[in-house]
Amino acid sequence: RRKPPTQRPRRPPPAQCEASRGATKHSETAVHKRILLRKGCKIGYYQYLRPTNHHLSINMFDVKKCLADCEKKMDASVTHLEETLAQIRAGRANVHILDAIRINSYGSMMPLNNVAAITTPDARTIAIKPWDKSMFAPIEKAIIDSEVGIMPENNGEVIRLAIPALTEERRKQLAKQCNKEGEEAKMAIRNARREGNDKLKKALKDGLSEDSEKDAEADLQKIHDRKVKQVDTLLAEKNKEIMTV
């Protein structure tokens, strides 16, 4: 008479299952869940489902980073506009009209304020005093070749730029130029907003919640409006400076 087959004891779940399968339970990027699967004779075994690309794309999208990147691009547009407006001559002495000038100093192209002291002794004059007398000629040449449009006067000690008074027609031309620069800055700000909205819509398709997407779009619009307001403020101040006789 045959003996009944002995039943093998069930194996306990492996204690190191998680580590052996390379799961990252406590990792910030881990999004998979622990599930108990019962398949055929493998009863009682724990198994871990790895995250799919779909789940990763949902959790890896950082809304705050998206908004911060868009704001950074908008800030760059505002800063560029501010620097551009500072270089537009408005009838008063302003040292920033020389910011774009570069001087060849010992084989390197240097900003003018790195090789000379620049001051405004009065409202119609810019004084440039080189620290090295050998730089007089290069500075004069750089100013003449630039778009400043003012002939320098050199007395051997200081280079002076006399700022001519603007005519009414010239003031209107400069105001139009400033407004054009402002429109370009606004366009760049709108482009940054559109890029951010496109990223949010893509994240929505990948599983980002609709409420999160709507809130992020609203925050992005607020950032956009704030930067456009800064542009309008810069333009108003510059136009006032240009039209002031």
Side-chain angles (χ1 to χ4, degrees), residues 188-201:
I189 292 173
R190 287 193 293 268
N191 289 340
R193 179 189 59 181
R194 187 184 69 249
E195 290 176 5
N197 285 333
D198 290 343
K199 290 181 180 179
L200 292 173
K201 285 182 173 60

Side-chain angles (χ1 to χ4, degrees), residues 34-90:
R34 177 175 171 176
I35 301 176
L36 177 62
L37 297 180
R38 299 179 180 274
K39 293 184 179 180
C41 63
K42 294 184 178 180
I43 299 176
Y45 277 72
Y46 288 95
Q47 201 165 359
Y48 292 81
L49 291 184
R50 296 185 179 275
T52 62
N53 292 335
H54 175 70
H55 292 102
L56 283 174
S57 62
I58 297 173
N59 289 270
M60 288 179 66
F61 183 80
D62 191 339
V63 174
K64 290 184 178 180
K65 184 178 183 303
C66 177
L67 296 178
D69 291 343
C70 293
E71 186 171 9
K72 185 177 179 180
K73 293 179 181 179
M74 295 179 187
D75 284 334
S77 300
V78 175
T79 301
H80 177 72
L81 174 65
E82 190 173 7
E83 294 173 352
T84 302
L85 295 179
Q87 297 176 19
I88 296 178
R89 182 163 54 89

Side-chain angles (χ1 to χ4, degrees), residues 13-232:
Q16 301 299 325
C17 174
E18 201 172 329
S20 64
R21 293 183 178 275
T24 55
K25 179 178 178 181
H26 301 291
S27 172
E28 294 181 358
T29 58
V31 295
H32 53 293
K33 297 179 180 179
R34 177 175 171 176
I35 301 176
L36 177 62
L37 297 180
R38 299 179 180 274
K39 293 184 179 180
C41 63
K42 294 184 178 180
I43 299 176
Y45 277 72
Y46 288 95
Q47 201 165 359
Y48 292 81
L49 291 184
R50 296 185 179 275
T52 62
N53 292 335
H54 175 70
H55 292 102
L56 283 174
S57 62
I58 297 173
N59 289 270
M60 288 179 66
F61 183 80
D62 191 339
V63 174
K64 290 184 178 180
K65 184 178 183 303
C66 177
L67 296 178
D69 291 343
C70 293
E71 186 171 9
K72 185 177 179 180
K73 293 179 181 179
M74 295 179 187
D75 284 334
S77 300
V78 175
T79 301
H80 177 72
L81 174 65
E82 190 173 7
E83 294 173 352
T84 302
L85 295 179
Q87 297 176 19
I88 296 178
R89 182 163 54 89
R92 296 178 62 86
N94 184 354
V95 297
H96 291 294
I97 67 174
L98 305 176
D99 286 349
I101 295 179
R102 295 293 181 268
I103 311 298
N104 189 350
S105 176
Y106 303 104
S108 299
M109 301 305 293
M110 307 287 290
L112 179 57
N113 57 8
N114 282 15
V115 297
I118 308 173
T119 58
T120 54
D122 57 66
R124 297 287 184 183
T125 306
I126 297 177
I128 304 168
K129 188 172 183 178
W131 295 323
D132 187 346
K133 288 191 175 183
S134 64
M135 298 304 298
F136 273 93
I139 291 175
E140 277 190 286
K141 184 178 184 304
I143 293 174
I144 294 172
D145 294 341
S146 70
E147 298 181 355
V148 174
I150 302 174
M151 186 61 64
E153 300 174 2
N154 179 9
N155 62 6
E157 294 293 333
V158 177
I159 298 174
R160 296 182 183 276
L161 300 179
I163 308 298
L166 298 176
T167 63
E168 187 68 21
E169 182 180 358
R170 180 58 179 162
R171 292 178 190 276
K172 292 179 179 179
Q173 290 177 353
L174 290 177
K176 187 180 294 185
Q177 179 182 351
C178 292
N179 291 333
K180 180 181 178 182
E181 295 290 344
E183 286 302 319
E184 290 180 359
K186 290 181 180 179
M187 185 179 299
I189 292 173
R190 287 193 293 268
N191 289 340
R193 179 189 59 181
R194 187 184 69 249
E195 290 176 5
N197 285 333
D198 290 343
K199 290 181 180 179
L200 292 173
K201 285 182 173 60
K202 184 178 183 301
L204 180 63
K205 292 180 180 179
D206 292 338
L208 182 69
S209 68
E210 187 174 351
D211 289 341
S212 298
E213 191 265 344
K214 292 296 182 184
D215 292 343
E217 280 190 358
D219 292 340
L220 185 57
Q221 183 64 39
K222 292 178 182 178
I223 296 173
H224 166 273
D225 296 342
R226 188 165 63 248
K227 301 308 173 184
V228 169
K229 188 176 181 180
Q230 291 181 11
V231 170
D232 291 335

